[in-house]
Amino acid sequence: MSTITHTAPQTRELQVRTDPAGKPLAIRHEGDIWLVDPDTESQHWYGRDAWWDTRRTAAVGSGDLVSIEYWQIQVRLGTSNSALRTFTLRRNPLSTHWLLETISD
């Protein structure tokens, strides 16, 4: 069986429910609720925004303008025993909204 990766529009916002530590628990995508499988391990990391390309400016003390937060999680559709899919989520610096980076089967 091969892995198929679907690149999602990077501007599509998602609704993400998290635990108190910020780990995703559930995602609403295209009207469906995807639950993070508790038996799988989620991956969490930070990347860096190329702020020099966007030429954004900010006042001193504005906060972290370069850290992009990523989560790669295994999800199932609702409460079913559907096949696992892998979602990669991204949150840009200073944003409260999550974006869908990729979906893999």
Side-chain angles (χ1 to χ4, degrees):
M1 184 175 189
S2 63
T3 300
I4 300 170
T5 301
H6 306 280
T7 302
Q10 294 185 5
T11 57
R12 177 159 300 204
E13 288 184 14
L14 300 171
Q15 292 177 328
V16 179
R17 185 178 56 176
T18 61
D19 69 10
K23 179 181 178 183
L25 300 172
I27 292 89
R28 181 182 301 271
H29 171 58
E30 295 183 346
D32 293 321
I33 303 289
W34 295 84
L35 299 177
V36 175
D37 188 308
D39 297 329
T40 61
E41 182 146 348
S42 299
Q43 301 295 314
H44 184 225
W45 72 94
Y46 288 88
R48 294 287 182 233
D49 185 33
W51 58 267
W52 53 89
D53 289 337
T54 60
R55 305 216 189 305
R56 288 186 301 208
T57 59
V60 172
S62 294
D64 184 351
L65 300 176
V66 297
S67 294
I68 301 171
E69 184 175 10
Y70 291 93
W71 279 95
Q72 188 173 66
I73 53 175
Q74 300 281 302
V75 296
R76 291 188 192 276
L77 188 56
T79 57
S80 72
N81 286 329
S82 67
L84 284 172
R85 298 186 84 184
T86 302
F87 282 17
T88 303
L89 310 177
R90 181 185 86 217
R91 185 164 49 181
N92 291 330
L94 302 180
S95 178
T96 58
H97 301 287
W98 288 95
L99 303 172
L100 182 59
E101 186 85 5
T102 61
I103 299 173
S104 301
D105 293 331

